[in-house]
Structures are given as C-alpha cells and as structure tokens.
Amino acid sequence: LMVLRFIQNPAYLKKPEGKFDWPGLSTLVIGLATLQYALENGQRLGWFNSGLISFLTLVGVVNLAYLVRRELVTPNPVVDLSVFSNRTFVAGNIIGVLAGFSLYGLLFMLPVFMSHILHFNTIQIGFALMPQALSTALAMPIAGRLADRIDPRIPLAVGIALFVVGTWQFSYLNMRSGYWDFFWPQVGRGLGLGLFFVPRPSATLSSISN
C-alpha cells in the first residue's frame, strides 16, 4: 500500500506498448520452481536415481532454455537479457554472486562448527555472529555518504578487500578457537559488506541507459 501511495514512476519512464510477455513469465516461474525443488530435495531423494528429480530437472532446464531464446527475440521481454552485453553490469553481478556464496555459505557453516565442534550453546553462537551484523549496520551509512561524494568503485574495492581478508581469517579456526577468534574476522567481514552493498548497485547500473 505504501508503494502504491508514495512511489511514482518518473516522467521519462514510459510503459512499453504491446502485450505483456505471459509465456516468458510462465516459463520463468516453472523453470525456477522446478529447479529449486530439485536442488533442495535432490540429496534427500537420491538425485538422478529419483524419477521425480530427473523429471523436474528436465522440465526446469527446458523451460529456462526456452525462456532465454524467447526473451532474446520478443519485443517486450519480461526479462531483458540485452543488459548482459554490458561488461560493467555483468562484472557487478558476478561480484554479487561470489559475495553471496561467501556470505551465506559461512553463515550456514559457522553455527554448525560452533555447535558440533566447539560445543557453543545457542546464546553463545548468537553473540559470536552478532559482530558482523553490527559492523555492517555501522558501515552502511558511511558507505552511502562516500558513494555520493567519490567514485563508488573506491568504497566497493575497499569493501571487497576487507571482506576477503575477514573471510580468509576463518581458515585458521580449529578445535581450540574461542569467541575472540570469531570476533575480528566478523568485524572485518561486516565492515566490508557495509562498504560493498551500498555502492555495488550504483556501480553495476551506472552504464545502463534508461
């Protein structure tokens, strides 16, 4: 309701003329839904030893392949794939995907490591993970101000460097690790994420025309 009330399209933005790309939307939904189910349940069901997983994977691949073909030729695509011809856009998205792997991968592994190897309880795990969130919250307003005043690639590069160094420090964890062994790597990752998340959309979309 707030979006409908307060967010208005700018004057220069014109809706494309022609019919909505319902076939494109349908294949997008079917392709992503079937592949997501197959990926989430494949290990439990034995991957391709399961007829259901094999069928859903085939349906997903065929639908997404058709989606790509259709979106490249239809006048009003639901997904405009032409933006992937822009190197800046592609590079920004690749960086985002890699950061996502590292961010969410560790957020999954660290609690398991703390619980099963270090025998932390739930409260201890929460406190051990908290510095990253607090550091990110602290860094994001700073990154926003920097992105308005300087080239957004600068805080983006600094953020990536801090994030990489903080992530690398986790490789030194062992069975004798304690709270402070998690604290500073989390702070480094959090500051890096804050400096990374804010300017990345600007840097990624800067060369995309309206």
Side-chain angles (χ1 to χ4, degrees):
L1 291 175
M2 292 182 68
V3 169
L4 294 174
R5 173 65 180 83
F6 295 106
I7 298 182
Q8 305 296 328
N9 288 330
Y12 64 79
L13 184 62
K14 296 181 179 179
K15 293 184 178 180
E17 298 179 358
K19 295 182 178 179
F20 182 77
D21 184 20
W22 288 109
L25 179 61
S26 300
T27 53
L28 175 65
V29 171
I30 294 172
L32 291 180
T34 51
L35 279 183
Q36 181 167 342
Y37 184 91
L39 291 171
E40 289 184 355
N41 296 278
Q43 183 175 0
R44 179 174 61 86
L45 298 177
W47 291 111
F48 295 115
N49 291 324
S50 165
L52 176 62
I53 296 299
S54 299
F55 173 73
L56 291 178
T57 301
L58 177 62
V59 171
V61 169
V62 169
N63 273 271
L64 292 181
Y66 174 76
L67 172 70
V68 172
R69 180 182 179 278
R70 176 178 176 81
E71 301 308 275
L72 291 174
V73 298
T74 190
N76 299 305
V78 69
V79 180
D80 187 359
L81 299 178
S82 65
V83 294
F84 286 97
S85 63
N86 185 288
R87 292 188 299 175
T88 302
F89 180 81
V90 172
N93 279 280
I94 291 176
I95 292 173
V97 169
L98 294 176
F101 272 111
S102 180
L103 171 62
Y104 296 110
L106 270 180
L107 283 178
F108 171 78
M109 292 188 292
L110 284 179
V112 175
F113 176 77
M114 295 177 192
S115 176
H116 293 277
I117 304 299
L118 302 182
H119 305 293
F120 283 14
N121 60 39
T122 305
I123 300 298
Q124 290 173 318
I125 293 174
F127 276 113
L129 295 176
M130 189 181 298
Q132 177 174 305
L134 296 178
S135 300
T136 301
L138 177 66
M140 290 183 78
I142 299 174
R145 292 187 178 184
L146 290 176
D148 291 336
R149 299 180 180 180
I150 63 176
D151 188 332
R153 293 176 295 182
I154 296 176
L156 179 60
V158 173
I160 291 174
L162 289 173
F163 184 78
V164 168
V165 171
T167 303
W168 178 260
Q169 289 179 316
F170 284 120
S171 65
Y172 296 101
L173 295 176
N174 54 57
M175 297 180 65
R176 296 183 295 276
S177 297
Y179 174 80
W180 293 105
D181 296 302
F182 294 94
F183 181 84
W184 292 113
Q186 294 269 44
V187 169
R189 276 169 55 91
L191 292 175
L193 285 172
L195 293 173
F196 167 84
F197 275 136
V198 175
R200 189 185 72 87
S202 299
T204 301
L205 300 175
S206 60
S207 60
I208 301 294
S209 63
N210 294 327

mmCIF file of all heavy atoms in Angstrom, residues 43-86:
data_model
loop_
_atom_site.group_PDB
_atom_site.id
_atom_site.type_symbol
_atom_site.label_atom_id
_atom_site.label_comp_id
_atom_site.label_asym_id
_atom_site.label_seq_id
_atom_site.Cartn_x
_atom_site.Cartn_y
_atom_site.Cartn_z
ATOM 1 N N GLN A 43 19.324 -34.322 -2.748
ATOM 2 C CA GLN A 43 20.130 -35.181 -1.880
ATOM 3 C C GLN A 43 19.254 -36.142 -1.085
ATOM 4 O O GLN A 43 19.567 -37.327 -0.934
ATOM 5 C CB GLN A 43 20.967 -34.327 -0.934
ATOM 6 C CG GLN A 43 21.887 -35.147 -0.036
ATOM 7 C CD GLN A 43 22.787 -34.267 0.805
ATOM 8 O OE1 GLN A 43 22.739 -33.052 0.723
ATOM 9 N NE2 GLN A 43 23.620 -34.887 1.615
ATOM 10 N N ARG A 44 18.118 -35.650 -0.596
ATOM 11 C CA ARG A 44 17.215 -36.492 0.190
ATOM 12 C C ARG A 44 16.616 -37.619 -0.641
ATOM 13 O O ARG A 44 16.400 -38.733 -0.140
ATOM 14 C CB ARG A 44 16.101 -35.621 0.788
ATOM 15 C CG ARG A 44 15.081 -36.380 1.622
ATOM 16 C CD ARG A 44 14.114 -35.420 2.276
ATOM 17 N NE ARG A 44 13.371 -34.644 1.289
ATOM 18 C CZ ARG A 44 12.253 -35.067 0.717
ATOM 19 N NH1 ARG A 44 11.756 -36.264 1.004
ATOM 20 N NH2 ARG A 44 11.624 -34.300 -0.164
ATOM 21 N N LEU A 45 16.380 -37.346 -1.925
ATOM 22 C CA LEU A 45 15.712 -38.328 -2.788
ATOM 23 C C LEU A 45 16.681 -39.120 -3.663
ATOM 24 O O LEU A 45 16.244 -39.942 -4.469
ATOM 25 C CB LEU A 45 14.683 -37.620 -3.674
ATOM 26 C CG LEU A 45 13.539 -36.903 -2.934
ATOM 27 C CD1 LEU A 45 12.628 -36.180 -3.909
ATOM 28 C CD2 LEU A 45 12.746 -37.898 -2.093
ATOM 29 N N GLY A 46 17.997 -38.867 -3.515
ATOM 30 C CA GLY A 46 18.966 -39.648 -4.288
ATOM 31 C C GLY A 46 19.303 -39.059 -5.640
ATOM 32 O O GLY A 46 19.724 -39.785 -6.545
ATOM 33 N N TRP A 47 19.119 -37.765 -5.801
ATOM 34 C CA TRP A 47 19.439 -37.070 -7.037
ATOM 35 C C TRP A 47 18.817 -37.770 -8.243
ATOM 36 O O TRP A 47 17.639 -38.037 -8.246
ATOM 37 C CB TRP A 47 20.950 -36.889 -7.199
ATOM 38 C CG TRP A 47 21.515 -35.923 -6.200
ATOM 39 C CD1 TRP A 47 22.354 -36.209 -5.151
ATOM 40 C CD2 TRP A 47 21.264 -34.507 -6.100
ATOM 41 N NE1 TRP A 47 22.632 -35.079 -4.420
ATOM 42 C CE2 TRP A 47 21.982 -34.011 -4.978
ATOM 43 C CE3 TRP A 47 20.495 -33.608 -6.847
ATOM 44 C CZ2 TRP A 47 21.961 -32.675 -4.599
ATOM 45 C CZ3 TRP A 47 20.470 -32.273 -6.476
ATOM 46 C CH2 TRP A 47 21.198 -31.817 -5.367
ATOM 47 N N PHE A 48 19.627 -38.117 -9.248
ATOM 48 C CA PHE A 48 19.061 -38.621 -10.501
ATOM 49 C C PHE A 48 18.674 -40.096 -10.440
ATOM 50 O O PHE A 48 18.229 -40.664 -11.429
ATOM 51 C CB PHE A 48 20.019 -38.365 -11.654
ATOM 52 C CG PHE A 48 20.221 -36.894 -11.919
ATOM 53 C CD1 PHE A 48 21.453 -36.301 -11.725
ATOM 54 C CD2 PHE A 48 19.165 -36.099 -12.332
ATOM 55 C CE1 PHE A 48 21.633 -34.954 -11.954
ATOM 56 C CE2 PHE A 48 19.328 -34.751 -12.561
ATOM 57 C CZ PHE A 48 20.565 -34.171 -12.371
ATOM 58 N N ASN A 49 18.843 -40.714 -9.268
ATOM 59 C CA ASN A 49 18.250 -42.030 -9.076
ATOM 60 C C ASN A 49 16.749 -41.912 -8.830
ATOM 61 O O ASN A 49 16.030 -42.909 -8.879
ATOM 62 C CB ASN A 49 18.908 -42.734 -7.885
ATOM 63 C CG ASN A 49 20.343 -43.117 -8.172
ATOM 64 O OD1 ASN A 49 20.685 -43.484 -9.295
ATOM 65 N ND2 ASN A 49 21.209 -43.009 -7.172
ATOM 66 N N SER A 50 16.304 -40.696 -8.576
ATOM 67 C CA SER A 50 14.880 -40.440 -8.368
ATOM 68 C C SER A 50 14.251 -39.979 -9.679
ATOM 69 O O SER A 50 14.745 -39.048 -10.332
ATOM 70 C CB SER A 50 14.695 -39.355 -7.300
ATOM 71 O OG SER A 50 13.382 -38.846 -7.309
ATOM 72 N N GLY A 51 13.167 -40.632 -10.061
ATOM 73 C CA GLY A 51 12.463 -40.240 -11.274
ATOM 74 C C GLY A 51 11.898 -38.832 -11.175
ATOM 75 O O GLY A 51 11.892 -38.084 -12.155
ATOM 76 N N LEU A 52 11.446 -38.454 -9.967
ATOM 77 C CA LEU A 52 10.880 -37.123 -9.781
ATOM 78 C C LEU A 52 11.936 -36.046 -9.985
ATOM 79 O O LEU A 52 11.694 -35.052 -10.690
ATOM 80 C CB LEU A 52 10.277 -37.005 -8.378
ATOM 81 C CG LEU A 52 9.728 -35.620 -7.995
ATOM 82 C CD1 LEU A 52 8.590 -35.224 -8.921
ATOM 83 C CD2 LEU A 52 9.277 -35.609 -6.532
ATOM 84 N N ILE A 53 13.119 -36.224 -9.395
ATOM 85 C CA ILE A 53 14.182 -35.232 -9.527
ATOM 86 C C ILE A 53 14.643 -35.141 -10.978
ATOM 87 O O ILE A 53 14.869 -34.041 -11.507
ATOM 88 C CB ILE A 53 15.361 -35.578 -8.603
ATOM 89 C CG1 ILE A 53 14.921 -35.509 -7.139
ATOM 90 C CG2 ILE A 53 16.537 -34.641 -8.849
ATOM 91 C CD1 ILE A 53 14.433 -34.157 -6.695
ATOM 92 N N SER A 54 14.772 -36.271 -11.650
ATOM 93 C CA SER A 54 15.181 -36.261 -13.054
ATOM 94 C C SER A 54 14.154 -35.517 -13.908
ATOM 95 O O SER A 54 14.506 -34.712 -14.770
ATOM 96 C CB SER A 54 15.345 -37.686 -13.566
ATOM 97 O OG SER A 54 16.348 -38.377 -12.829
ATOM 98 N N PHE A 55 12.875 -35.783 -13.665
ATOM 99 C CA PHE A 55 11.816 -35.134 -14.429
ATOM 100 C C PHE A 55 11.794 -33.628 -14.185
ATOM 101 O O PHE A 55 11.715 -32.830 -15.134
ATOM 102 C CB PHE A 55 10.462 -35.752 -14.064
ATOM 103 C CG PHE A 55 9.287 -35.048 -14.680
ATOM 104 C CD1 PHE A 55 9.005 -35.175 -16.033
ATOM 105 C CD2 PHE A 55 8.467 -34.238 -13.895
ATOM 106 C CE1 PHE A 55 7.918 -34.508 -16.602
ATOM 107 C CE2 PHE A 55 7.389 -33.582 -14.452
ATOM 108 C CZ PHE A 55 7.120 -33.708 -15.809
ATOM 109 N N LEU A 56 11.877 -33.221 -12.918
ATOM 110 C CA LEU A 56 11.824 -31.795 -12.601
ATOM 111 C C LEU A 56 13.045 -31.058 -13.152
ATOM 112 O O LEU A 56 12.932 -29.912 -13.609
ATOM 113 C CB LEU A 56 11.735 -31.596 -11.085
ATOM 114 C CG LEU A 56 10.416 -32.034 -10.432
ATOM 115 C CD1 LEU A 56 10.475 -31.827 -8.924
ATOM 116 C CD2 LEU A 56 9.231 -31.281 -11.023
ATOM 117 N N THR A 57 14.201 -31.701 -13.121
ATOM 118 C CA THR A 57 15.396 -31.080 -13.679
ATOM 119 C C THR A 57 15.240 -30.866 -15.182
ATOM 120 O O THR A 57 15.583 -29.803 -15.711
ATOM 121 C CB THR A 57 16.636 -31.951 -13.408
ATOM 122 O OG1 THR A 57 16.790 -32.121 -11.993
ATOM 123 C CG2 THR A 57 17.889 -31.300 -13.969
ATOM 124 N N LEU A 58 14.714 -31.866 -15.865
ATOM 125 C CA LEU A 58 14.492 -31.752 -17.304
ATOM 126 C C LEU A 58 13.496 -30.637 -17.608
ATOM 127 O O LEU A 58 13.727 -29.811 -18.504
ATOM 128 C CB LEU A 58 13.983 -33.084 -17.859
ATOM 129 C CG LEU A 58 13.644 -33.097 -19.359
ATOM 130 C CD1 LEU A 58 14.896 -32.808 -20.181
ATOM 131 C CD2 LEU A 58 13.024 -34.442 -19.757
ATOM 132 N N VAL A 59 12.398 -30.581 -16.849
ATOM 133 C CA VAL A 59 11.397 -29.537 -17.052
ATOM 134 C C VAL A 59 12.014 -28.165 -16.814
ATOM 135 O O VAL A 59 11.799 -27.218 -17.590
ATOM 136 C CB VAL A 59 10.191 -29.753 -16.120
ATOM 137 C CG1 VAL A 59 9.248 -28.548 -16.168
ATOM 138 C CG2 VAL A 59 9.441 -31.016 -16.511
ATOM 139 N N GLY A 60 12.806 -28.023 -15.757
ATOM 140 C CA GLY A 60 13.417 -26.743 -15.448
ATOM 141 C C GLY A 60 14.386 -26.280 -16.515
ATOM 142 O O GLY A 60 14.360 -25.121 -16.941
ATOM 143 N N VAL A 61 15.245 -27.188 -16.981
ATOM 144 C CA VAL A 61 16.239 -26.827 -17.993
ATOM 145 C C VAL A 61 15.564 -26.454 -19.306
ATOM 146 O O VAL A 61 15.926 -25.458 -19.954
ATOM 147 C CB VAL A 61 17.226 -27.994 -18.194
ATOM 148 C CG1 VAL A 61 18.108 -27.751 -19.414
ATOM 149 C CG2 VAL A 61 18.085 -28.183 -16.951
ATOM 150 N N VAL A 62 14.570 -27.241 -19.716
ATOM 151 C CA VAL A 62 13.870 -26.955 -20.978
ATOM 152 C C VAL A 62 13.161 -25.603 -20.904
ATOM 153 O O VAL A 62 13.233 -24.795 -21.838
ATOM 154 C CB VAL A 62 12.861 -28.080 -21.290
ATOM 155 C CG1 VAL A 62 11.946 -27.673 -22.447
ATOM 156 C CG2 VAL A 62 13.601 -29.369 -21.634
ATOM 157 N N ASN A 63 12.485 -25.326 -19.793
ATOM 158 C CA ASN A 63 11.764 -24.061 -19.659
ATOM 159 C C ASN A 63 12.706 -22.864 -19.643
ATOM 160 O O ASN A 63 12.437 -21.845 -20.289
ATOM 161 C CB ASN A 63 10.912 -24.067 -18.387
ATOM 162 C CG ASN A 63 9.539 -24.673 -18.603
ATOM 163 O OD1 ASN A 63 8.589 -23.987 -18.960
ATOM 164 N ND2 ASN A 63 9.445 -25.982 -18.404
ATOM 165 N N LEU A 64 13.825 -22.963 -18.933
ATOM 166 C CA LEU A 64 14.747 -21.839 -18.875
ATOM 167 C C LEU A 64 15.468 -21.643 -20.204
ATOM 168 O O LEU A 64 15.760 -20.506 -20.598
ATOM 169 C CB LEU A 64 15.752 -22.044 -17.735
ATOM 170 C CG LEU A 64 15.150 -21.979 -16.331
ATOM 171 C CD1 LEU A 64 16.235 -22.180 -15.277
ATOM 172 C CD2 LEU A 64 14.434 -20.647 -16.098
ATOM 173 N N ALA A 65 15.743 -22.745 -20.905
ATOM 174 C CA ALA A 65 16.355 -22.616 -22.227
ATOM 175 C C ALA A 65 15.389 -21.919 -23.191
ATOM 176 O O ALA A 65 15.786 -21.037 -23.969
ATOM 177 C CB ALA A 65 16.740 -23.996 -22.765
ATOM 178 N N TYR A 66 14.110 -22.302 -23.140
ATOM 179 C CA TYR A 66 13.109 -21.641 -23.975
ATOM 180 C C TYR A 66 12.959 -20.176 -23.574
ATOM 181 O O TYR A 66 12.788 -19.293 -24.436
ATOM 182 C CB TYR A 66 11.768 -22.352 -23.843
ATOM 183 C CG TYR A 66 10.644 -21.643 -24.571
ATOM 184 C CD1 TYR A 66 10.530 -21.710 -25.954
ATOM 185 C CD2 TYR A 66 9.714 -20.880 -23.864
ATOM 186 C CE1 TYR A 66 9.506 -21.038 -26.622
ATOM 187 C CE2 TYR A 66 8.697 -20.207 -24.518
ATOM 188 C CZ TYR A 66 8.601 -20.293 -25.894
ATOM 189 O OH TYR A 66 7.599 -19.616 -26.553
ATOM 190 N N LEU A 67 13.031 -19.898 -22.265
ATOM 191 C CA LEU A 67 12.929 -18.521 -21.790
ATOM 192 C C LEU A 67 14.031 -17.651 -22.395
ATOM 193 O O LEU A 67 13.755 -16.551 -22.890
ATOM 194 C CB LEU A 67 13.020 -18.489 -20.264
ATOM 195 C CG LEU A 67 13.118 -17.101 -19.634
ATOM 196 C CD1 LEU A 67 11.803 -16.355 -19.769
ATOM 197 C CD2 LEU A 67 13.539 -17.200 -18.167
ATOM 198 N N VAL A 68 15.256 -18.143 -22.380
ATOM 199 C CA VAL A 68 16.374 -17.377 -22.927
ATOM 200 C C VAL A 68 16.141 -17.103 -24.408
ATOM 201 O O VAL A 68 16.307 -15.973 -24.889
ATOM 202 C CB VAL A 68 17.702 -18.118 -22.706
ATOM 203 C CG1 VAL A 68 18.838 -17.421 -23.453
ATOM 204 C CG2 VAL A 68 18.018 -18.190 -21.218
ATOM 205 N N ARG A 69 15.758 -18.136 -25.143
ATOM 206 C CA ARG A 69 15.524 -17.979 -26.587
ATOM 207 C C ARG A 69 14.417 -16.969 -26.847
ATOM 208 O O ARG A 69 14.539 -16.101 -27.717
ATOM 209 C CB ARG A 69 15.176 -19.326 -27.200
ATOM 210 C CG ARG A 69 14.908 -19.261 -28.701
ATOM 211 C CD ARG A 69 14.523 -20.638 -29.239
ATOM 212 N NE ARG A 69 14.235 -20.572 -30.667
ATOM 213 C CZ ARG A 69 13.065 -20.185 -31.199
ATOM 214 N NH1 ARG A 69 12.079 -19.820 -30.391
ATOM 215 N NH2 ARG A 69 12.890 -20.165 -32.507
ATOM 216 N N ARG A 70 13.329 -17.061 -26.079
ATOM 217 C CA ARG A 70 12.194 -16.171 -26.314
ATOM 218 C C ARG A 70 12.532 -14.724 -25.953
ATOM 219 O O ARG A 70 12.191 -13.797 -26.695
ATOM 220 C CB ARG A 70 10.988 -16.638 -25.487
ATOM 221 C CG ARG A 70 9.806 -15.688 -25.617
ATOM 222 C CD ARG A 70 8.590 -16.156 -24.843
ATOM 223 N NE ARG A 70 7.526 -15.151 -24.931
ATOM 224 C CZ ARG A 70 6.703 -15.015 -25.967
ATOM 225 N NH1 ARG A 70 6.825 -15.831 -26.999
ATOM 226 N NH2 ARG A 70 5.780 -14.082 -25.967
ATOM 227 N N GLU A 71 13.212 -14.530 -24.820
ATOM 228 C CA GLU A 71 13.473 -13.167 -24.369
ATOM 229 C C GLU A 71 14.431 -12.425 -25.283
ATOM 230 O O GLU A 71 14.474 -11.193 -25.273
ATOM 231 C CB GLU A 71 14.023 -13.181 -22.937
ATOM 232 C CG GLU A 71 13.095 -13.828 -21.927
ATOM 233 C CD GLU A 71 11.685 -13.262 -21.963
ATOM 234 O OE1 GLU A 71 11.441 -12.239 -21.308
ATOM 235 O OE2 GLU A 71 10.812 -13.841 -22.650
ATOM 236 N N LEU A 72 15.209 -13.153 -26.071
ATOM 237 C CA LEU A 72 16.137 -12.511 -26.989
ATOM 238 C C LEU A 72 15.450 -12.006 -28.259
ATOM 239 O O LEU A 72 16.021 -11.174 -28.980
ATOM 240 C CB LEU A 72 17.262 -13.474 -27.367
ATOM 241 C CG LEU A 72 18.259 -13.817 -26.250
ATOM 242 C CD1 LEU A 72 19.228 -14.894 -26.708
ATOM 243 C CD2 LEU A 72 19.010 -12.570 -25.789
ATOM 244 N N VAL A 73 14.236 -12.494 -28.538
ATOM 245 C CA VAL A 73 13.576 -12.122 -29.790
ATOM 246 C C VAL A 73 12.243 -11.408 -29.584
ATOM 247 O O VAL A 73 11.760 -10.736 -30.493
ATOM 248 C CB VAL A 73 13.347 -13.371 -30.681
ATOM 249 C CG1 VAL A 73 14.680 -14.005 -31.056
ATOM 250 C CG2 VAL A 73 12.458 -14.402 -29.978
ATOM 251 N N THR A 74 11.620 -11.539 -28.405
ATOM 252 C CA THR A 74 10.307 -10.922 -28.212
ATOM 253 C C THR A 74 10.447 -9.412 -28.028
ATOM 254 O O THR A 74 11.424 -8.935 -27.433
ATOM 255 C CB THR A 74 9.600 -11.540 -26.983
ATOM 256 O OG1 THR A 74 8.241 -11.109 -26.943
ATOM 257 C CG2 THR A 74 10.289 -11.146 -25.702
ATOM 258 N N PRO A 75 9.504 -8.612 -28.530
ATOM 259 C CA PRO A 75 9.619 -7.147 -28.459
ATOM 260 C C PRO A 75 9.598 -6.601 -27.022
ATOM 261 O O PRO A 75 10.284 -5.635 -26.707
ATOM 262 C CB PRO A 75 8.397 -6.654 -29.247
ATOM 263 C CG PRO A 75 7.994 -7.818 -30.098
ATOM 264 C CD PRO A 75 8.345 -9.041 -29.339
ATOM 265 N N ASN A 76 8.791 -7.210 -26.150
ATOM 266 C CA ASN A 76 8.657 -6.724 -24.774
ATOM 267 C C ASN A 76 8.961 -7.853 -23.792
ATOM 268 O O ASN A 76 8.047 -8.433 -23.187
ATOM 269 C CB ASN A 76 7.243 -6.184 -24.534
ATOM 270 C CG ASN A 76 6.909 -5.028 -25.449
ATOM 271 O OD1 ASN A 76 7.623 -4.037 -25.491
ATOM 272 N ND2 ASN A 76 5.823 -5.168 -26.207
ATOM 273 N N PRO A 77 10.225 -8.196 -23.619
ATOM 274 C CA PRO A 77 10.568 -9.329 -22.758
ATOM 275 C C PRO A 77 10.295 -9.041 -21.291
ATOM 276 O O PRO A 77 10.440 -7.903 -20.827
ATOM 277 C CB PRO A 77 12.072 -9.508 -23.007
ATOM 278 C CG PRO A 77 12.550 -8.146 -23.386
ATOM 279 C CD PRO A 77 11.416 -7.540 -24.170
ATOM 280 N N VAL A 78 9.901 -10.072 -20.554
ATOM 281 C CA VAL A 78 9.711 -9.920 -19.117
ATOM 282 C C VAL A 78 11.071 -9.829 -18.421
ATOM 283 O O VAL A 78 11.194 -9.242 -17.338
ATOM 284 C CB VAL A 78 8.863 -11.080 -18.561
ATOM 285 C CG1 VAL A 78 9.627 -12.397 -18.603
ATOM 286 C CG2 VAL A 78 8.383 -10.774 -17.150
ATOM 287 N N VAL A 79 12.100 -10.409 -19.037
ATOM 288 C CA VAL A 79 13.477 -10.294 -18.563
ATOM 289 C C VAL A 79 14.316 -9.790 -19.732
ATOM 290 O O VAL A 79 14.472 -10.491 -20.734
ATOM 291 C CB VAL A 79 14.033 -11.646 -18.061
ATOM 292 C CG1 VAL A 79 15.473 -11.482 -17.588
ATOM 293 C CG2 VAL A 79 13.164 -12.201 -16.941
ATOM 294 N N ASP A 80 14.836 -8.591 -19.615
ATOM 295 C CA ASP A 80 15.615 -8.003 -20.703
ATOM 296 C C ASP A 80 17.052 -8.512 -20.629
ATOM 297 O O ASP A 80 17.875 -7.998 -19.867
ATOM 298 C CB ASP A 80 15.583 -6.478 -20.602
ATOM 299 C CG ASP A 80 16.234 -5.815 -21.814
ATOM 300 O OD1 ASP A 80 16.723 -6.542 -22.704
ATOM 301 O OD2 ASP A 80 16.261 -4.575 -21.867
ATOM 302 N N LEU A 81 17.369 -9.523 -21.416
ATOM 303 C CA LEU A 81 18.694 -10.138 -21.383
ATOM 304 C C LEU A 81 19.744 -9.313 -22.106
ATOM 305 O O LEU A 81 20.936 -9.609 -21.998
ATOM 306 C CB LEU A 81 18.626 -11.545 -22.003
ATOM 307 C CG LEU A 81 17.704 -12.538 -21.290
ATOM 308 C CD1 LEU A 81 17.704 -13.872 -22.032
ATOM 309 C CD2 LEU A 81 18.130 -12.748 -19.843
ATOM 310 N N SER A 82 19.330 -8.275 -22.821
ATOM 311 C CA SER A 82 20.304 -7.472 -23.554
ATOM 312 C C SER A 82 21.258 -6.738 -22.623
ATOM 313 O O SER A 82 22.363 -6.365 -23.024
ATOM 314 C CB SER A 82 19.579 -6.464 -24.451
ATOM 315 O OG SER A 82 18.847 -5.522 -23.676
ATOM 316 N N VAL A 83 20.858 -6.540 -21.360
ATOM 317 C CA VAL A 83 21.742 -5.826 -20.424
ATOM 318 C C VAL A 83 23.016 -6.622 -20.143
ATOM 319 O O VAL A 83 24.017 -6.056 -19.705
ATOM 320 C CB VAL A 83 21.013 -5.518 -19.103
ATOM 321 C CG1 VAL A 83 19.875 -4.547 -19.319
ATOM 322 C CG2 VAL A 83 20.503 -6.800 -18.452
ATOM 323 N N PHE A 84 22.986 -7.925 -20.407
ATOM 324 C CA PHE A 84 24.166 -8.746 -20.140
ATOM 325 C C PHE A 84 25.250 -8.554 -21.196
ATOM 326 O O PHE A 84 26.322 -9.150 -21.104
ATOM 327 C CB PHE A 84 23.778 -10.224 -20.035
ATOM 328 C CG PHE A 84 23.064 -10.545 -18.759
ATOM 329 C CD1 PHE A 84 21.685 -10.595 -18.718
ATOM 330 C CD2 PHE A 84 23.772 -10.786 -17.590
ATOM 331 C CE1 PHE A 84 21.010 -10.885 -17.540
ATOM 332 C CE2 PHE A 84 23.120 -11.076 -16.408
ATOM 333 C CZ PHE A 84 21.728 -11.124 -16.376
ATOM 334 N N SER A 85 24.972 -7.739 -22.186
ATOM 335 C CA SER A 85 26.027 -7.369 -23.125
ATOM 336 C C SER A 85 26.901 -6.256 -22.566
ATOM 337 O O SER A 85 27.938 -5.925 -23.142
ATOM 338 C CB SER A 85 25.407 -6.920 -24.460
ATOM 339 O OG SER A 85 24.604 -5.761 -24.272
ATOM 340 N N ASN A 86 26.484 -5.682 -21.440
ATOM 341 C CA ASN A 86 27.243 -4.615 -20.787
ATOM 342 C C ASN A 86 28.223 -5.235 -19.790
ATOM 343 O O ASN A 86 27.817 -5.897 -18.830
ATOM 344 C CB ASN A 86 26.281 -3.659 -20.077
ATOM 345 C CG ASN A 86 26.984 -2.467 -19.472
ATOM 346 O OD1 ASN A 86 27.685 -2.599 -18.477
ATOM 347 N ND2 ASN A 86 26.798 -1.305 -20.072
#
